Amino acid sequence: MTPSKPGNSDENAESRSALLRVLGTIDHGLGIIERVIIAGGILAMALLMSGHVVGNLLFNQGIPGTYEVTEMLIVVITFVGVGYAARNARHISMSAIYDQLSGRWRKALLILICLGTAVLMFYFADKSIDYVLAIYDRGRSSASLNIPLWIVYLALPVGFILAGVQYLLTAVRNLVSDDIYRAFNEKEEYDEVPPEAAEGNGHDTRRDA
């Protein structure tokens, strides 16, 4: 029999740990970008709309282009928020089949979903880049402030790329980890109620009644 080599397992654990550290650094950096854009956009909208209302009340004159800028900020926040939702596992999911599985089958399906969704996000990013380039070539700009619209719609490919990267990170995390992760830093935790316990509770309830 070939003796086991504990050094190999230690090297594998160290390599996995190093990989997770690198991916964690990438995830942390992308998280900062997402939070700055989303928080900055929401804060800018709040200040702009508040200033517009105050200006109308006190001076009968609001801030020109308020509604136009607000609509642009909504576009930016919406699409960058796609990546933020994926990072925190707060996206809408169809989990009827997934919830029926457990163990390695549950994990395998989650990895497949993450990889498929990542491919879809990158496909959307590619198409949105074509859309942004088309707007740039046409020289379209906003009506009131003449802001080039291609700058605003850059949020589309940026948001889809951020989301695609998040799904890839989640897939890799599940491939190299023993536990199941719904997002890179979001471990899945769920409690299963044994049938015996459920039956026991029902019996006790009837007896107490």
Side-chain angles (χ1 to χ4, degrees), residues 24-41:
T25 302
I26 296 173
D27 178 74
H28 180 69
L30 294 177
I32 293 175
I33 295 173
E34 292 168 357
R35 287 192 293 270
V36 168
I37 294 176
I38 295 174

Side-chain angles (χ1 to χ4, degrees), residues 73-200:
L73 290 174
I74 289 175
V75 172
V76 173
I77 293 170
T78 298
F79 285 95
V80 176
V82 174
Y84 184 81
R87 170 187 308 283
N88 295 279
R90 296 296 182 267
H91 47 78
I92 298 174
S93 60
M94 305 290 288
S95 58
I97 298 176
Y98 177 80
D99 290 339
Q100 304 301 316
L101 302 177
S102 61
R104 62 180 183 178
W105 293 107
R106 188 184 184 97
K107 190 173 189 177
L109 180 58
L110 179 59
I111 294 172
L112 180 62
I113 291 172
C114 289
L115 292 176
T117 308
V119 171
L120 185 63
M121 292 295 104
F122 290 131
Y123 174 76
F124 287 160
D126 178 68
K127 291 302 180 182
S128 61
I129 289 173
D130 293 339
Y131 179 67
V132 172
L133 291 175
I135 293 178
Y136 175 80
D137 291 337
R138 295 173 185 173
R140 292 178 57 187
S141 59
S142 60
S144 300
L145 302 178
N146 290 322
I147 298 175
L149 291 179
W150 68 269
I151 297 177
V152 179
Y153 288 106
L154 273 177
L156 277 68
V158 169
F160 287 131
I161 290 173
L162 289 174
V165 170
Q166 281 303 312
Y167 282 110
L168 280 181
L169 290 176
T170 303
V172 174
R173 183 63 186 258
N174 282 286
L175 286 171
V176 302
S177 301
D178 295 329
D179 297 316
I180 299 177
Y181 285 82
R182 297 183 60 203
F184 187 80
N185 288 316
E186 292 284 337
K187 184 187 294 185
E188 182 178 71
E189 296 179 355
Y190 62 96
D191 295 327
E192 294 183 352
V193 179
E196 296 82 4
E199 293 175 0

Side-chain angles (χ1 to χ4, degrees), residues 5-18:
K5 298 181 180 179
N8 291 336
S9 60
D10 293 340
E11 291 177 0
N12 292 334
E14 290 178 0
S15 61
R16 286 196 301 176
S17 178

